Amino acid sequence: METVILGTGNSQEMRIAIDQAVDQLERGSIVGLPTETVYGLAADALNADACATIFEAKERPSFDPLIVHVSGEKMLNNVAEIPDEIADVTYDLIKEFWPGALTFILPKKEIVPDIVTSGLQTVAVRRSKNKIFSEIVNSLESPIAAPSANRFGSISPTSAAAVFTELSGKIPLIIDGGACSEGVESTIIKIEPSQKKKPLIKILRPGPITPEMLKKFGKIDKHQHSSEESSSLTSPGQLDSHYAPNTPLKILNSPEEFDFNPSKKYALLSYRGQKKDGYLELCDWTHIETLSPGSGKLPEAAVRFFFSLRKLDELGVDEIISEPIPERGIGFAIMDRLKRASYQFS
Ligand code: TXA
Ligand code: MG
């Protein structure tokens, strides 16, 4: 199958791209679409056969459920139940963070096909703030199931070119909406009622909506489920190894940990590219990729993170070395991805 990329550089191109995407989705096909977090591989969420194609194209195991994207509260209520005990906090969070990078795990409604939720009784729901994505879900008038548009386990795509690298030949269409403005996947939360005043907000996957931003709405539980718990299907996608490059990746918590081998070629993923951090002169790096040059800004680092990891992976070095990222704000989500990306090499 030939994979076409449609640009959205001017209003005419944008119109054509949106119409074609909606047309493909209506016909039960799958399409690579931009969102503010990462590119998604989209299908009509109410079309079970179309959703099955997502799993095939991604080579994604059927036990890993998809996120359903809605156009607003009406569509949310079509796909999910909002239990009375958590209704106040859920609507407060929606008011504050939607459209945006916050995904809720809620009891699912009958209309959502089992394949979307991998047989779970809950569904993951979010509303994207990307303009192109929003127009498409509005025109389709049906929710859109979209996991990240990469092959299962590999680096998430934050550009149309990255989607092409991952899935060309397997999908008919990619809409190029430029680089993603957030750069890491949405924060996934599950809210649990509590006898105490504040509900419990469990962060199943850290993302752009940070614990600091959520804490005024409830008590935050940052504990992520281990793979044993995952197999009990509380959060099946949160595997220890994920987002992995082909090149071995190691996080060095301090420069002293570097175990230099003169016959190897190394590349460095640096946070702010500063000599004083002690990494730049550890060896003769084949390449140094800096996430946020200068004083280091975490949102900028997030935007560049997957893009930089992908670039380093394409260099053909023997090892990628990464500096640690400060685990505050969105840095918590970046370190989560970095740890999972390096897991199989540690
Ligand atoms: O930002 C995002 O969330 C992007 C864009 C495209 O929207 N999507 C995304 O999807 O990251 P994906 O499939 O790569 O990650 C979805 C995660 C998986 O870890 C999956 O296990 C979890 O959501 N998930 C989906 N439904 C769930 C459910 N009912 N209970 C627990 N976890 C669920
Ligand atoms: Mg993913």
Side-chain angles (χ1 to χ4, degrees):
M1 173 190 308
E2 194 200 352
T3 301
V4 174
I5 303 182
L6 289 179
T8 55
N10 57 46
S11 55
Q12 196 192 355
E13 275 184 12
M14 179 89 87
R15 195 65 271 145
I16 293 170
I18 289 172
D19 288 350
Q20 291 244 354
V22 173
D23 185 55
Q24 291 281 0
L25 293 169
E26 278 172 347
R27 287 195 278 140
S29 188
I30 56 176
V31 183
L33 294 182
T35 84
E36 72 276 38
T37 57
V38 301
Y39 273 70
L41 181 56
D44 179 346
L46 304 184
N47 181 335
D49 291 339
C51 293
T53 324
I54 293 181
F55 286 89
E56 265 166 51
K58 276 187 63 104
E59 295 164 41
R60 182 178 177 113
S62 60
F63 61 76
D64 194 5
L66 309 176
I67 293 182
V68 172
H69 300 68
V70 296
S71 59
E73 284 180 34
K74 192 169 162 230
M75 212 181 257
L76 164 68
N77 288 305
N78 287 341
V79 296
E81 205 79 61
I82 301 180
D84 288 344
E85 315 88 80
I86 61 162
D88 286 348
V89 59
T90 304
Y91 283 114
D92 286 348
L93 287 163
I94 285 175
K95 199 163 164 224
E96 182 89 3
F97 299 114
W98 272 20
L102 186 63
T103 298
F104 295 86
I105 305 296
L106 292 164
K108 91 175 191 70
K109 287 210 172 143
E110 192 65 37
I111 195 172
V112 182
D114 283 338
I115 187 165
V116 172
T117 63
S118 302
L120 296 177
Q121 288 312 307
T122 53
V123 61
V125 193
R126 90 170 180 102
R127 179 179 174 195
S128 170
K129 73 172 172 208
N130 180 282
K131 210 172 141 258
I132 299 167
F133 194 98
S134 307
E135 280 213 30
I136 292 171
V137 70
N138 274 326
S139 309
L140 186 66
E141 294 178 347
S142 182
I144 289 179
S148 51
N150 51 279
R151 278 169 288 130
F152 182 71
S154 92
I155 302 172
S156 301
T158 51
S159 67
V163 180
F164 190 83
T165 306
E166 290 287 324
L167 296 172
S168 73
K170 295 184 166 179
I171 62 176
L173 180 63
I174 299 168
I175 306 301
D176 187 351
C180 299
S181 59
E182 302 275 7
V184 292
E185 297 90 341
S186 62
T187 306
I188 303 181
I189 60 167
K190 185 162 191 198
I191 303 169
E192 284 177 6
S194 140
Q195 310 298 61
K196 304 205 186 88
K197 252 191 175 163
K198 283 185 156 190
L200 184 66
I201 302 178
K202 281 189 164 177
I203 299 180
L204 303 185
R205 179 177 70 184
I209 307 300
T210 64
E212 292 89 331
M213 291 156 85
L214 291 169
K215 73 173 186 238
K216 77 168 190 212
F217 297 90
K219 190 175 168 342
I220 306 302
D221 176 2
K222 293 206 285 189
H223 165 79
Q224 280 149 61
H225 303 261
S226 68
S227 43
E228 296 91 77
E229 286 169 288
S230 299
S231 62
S232 74
L233 289 184
T234 44
S235 181
Q238 290 304 78
L239 305 175
D240 291 333
S241 178
H242 216 88
Y243 315 105
N246 294 312
T247 316
L249 166 71
K250 222 173 242 163
I251 308 168
L252 287 195
N253 288 312
S254 75
E256 292 73 41
E257 284 179 15
F258 191 39
D259 185 13
F260 181 64
N261 176 340
S263 65
K264 282 189 176 174
K265 280 195 205 152
Y266 296 94
L268 177 68
L269 184 62
S270 174
Y271 172 43
R272 50 187 192 167
Q274 294 222 8
K275 227 188 225 176
K276 65 178 178 204
D277 294 334
Y279 292 86
L280 297 192
E281 294 176 341
L282 277 178
C283 73
D284 186 9
W285 303 104
T286 299
H287 182 77
I288 297 172
E289 193 64 19
T290 301
L291 292 173
S292 177
S295 56
K297 294 192 176 52
L298 290 165
E300 182 185 30
V303 167
R304 289 202 196 168
F305 175 67
F306 282 128
F307 182 83
S308 300
L309 195 56
R310 188 172 285 278
K311 186 166 163 189
L312 293 175
D313 196 24
E314 284 163 4
L315 292 173
V317 294
D318 298 298
E319 223 169 88
I320 301 167
I321 299 294
S322 177
E323 296 179 11
I325 310 293
E327 284 183 273
R328 53 170 195 277
I330 200 172
F332 178 52
I334 305 174
M335 262 315 259
D336 168 73
R337 306 306 190 271
L338 203 48
K339 284 177 192 164
R340 290 177 206 275
S342 67
Y343 183 81
Q344 72 185 81
F345 308 112
S346 58

